[in-house]
Amino acid sequence: MDEGQLEVLAVRLGAYLTERGQSIATAESCTGGWLAQVITAIPGSSAWFERGFVTYSNDAKVEMLGVDPQIIGRYGAVSEETVTAMVAGALARSRASCAIAVTGVAGPAGGTPAKPVGTVFIAWLEKGGVPLVARQQFSGDRHQIRAQSVQTALEGAMR
């Protein structure tokens, strides 16, 4: 997945959201703002991109998104429970009508037998809706895992 392909997905997302009169917020951990960067590289994205949260540390997830520290303590930062709290926090702490959250193990270190390198959780949520969460197992180096995460996050937001 190259930058051009990600840009095409972001343009499609913008058209999708504009058609529906929606705007989006992002909450990112392992992607470090890459999702927001791809979106804001699109001219006119200010009409449909509301804000992005880069919450790389656990403290940032708690402080910026309101993630309950007990969730992180019990399930870990890379978990369905944490990404669900992240996406809910992004939606609650923005004026967006929908949100995407991403957390994972991009490597090369940090993996465990239960959550090896490449494990990524992505969540999508619309106001008044129920979060949709996907657990992915990506392969490749750190850059490739992060790129696949951004790609999947963009694609999922258009479902």
Side-chain angles (χ1 to χ4, degrees):
M1 174 69 35
D2 67 26
E3 295 291 326
Q5 292 168 302
L6 293 177
E7 183 178 323
V8 167
L9 287 173
V11 168
R12 284 184 37 217
L13 176 61
Y16 177 88
L17 293 170
T18 300
E19 254 177 41
R20 287 158 182 76
Q22 294 182 312
S23 61
I24 198 161
T26 59
E28 302 180 68
S29 188
C30 67
T31 49
W34 192 354
L35 181 56
Q37 187 279 323
V38 167
I39 290 170
T40 59
I42 307 306
S45 59
S46 61
W48 50 271
F49 180 68
E50 209 278 323
R51 71 183 70 182
F53 300 90
V54 178
T55 57
Y56 203 71
S57 71
N58 291 342
D59 287 342
K61 290 172 183 65
V62 171
E63 293 167 15
M64 295 173 70
L65 299 173
V67 175
D68 185 334
Q70 292 181 353
I71 290 174
I72 297 171
R74 182 169 183 186
Y75 302 103
V78 179
S79 65
E80 179 175 350
E81 294 79 6
T82 297
V83 80
T84 300
M86 288 172 66
V87 78
L91 201 53
R93 294 172 182 232
S94 72
R95 295 177 184 196
S97 54
C98 56
I100 305 171
V102 183
T103 186
V105 184
T112 66
K115 297 174 190 171
V117 169
T119 303
V120 176
F121 288 87
I122 305 170
W124 302 268
L125 179 61
E126 286 189 44
K127 274 203 190 300
V130 176
L132 174 65
V133 179
R135 178 185 175 141
Q136 301 290 327
Q137 188 60 54
F138 296 125
S139 60
D141 62 21
R142 182 176 180 83
H143 181 81
Q144 292 166 327
I145 290 166
R146 293 172 75 228
Q148 290 169 80
S149 299
V150 171
Q151 174 188 354
T152 302
L154 291 168
E155 289 171 345
M158 293 181 276
R159 289 189 196 139

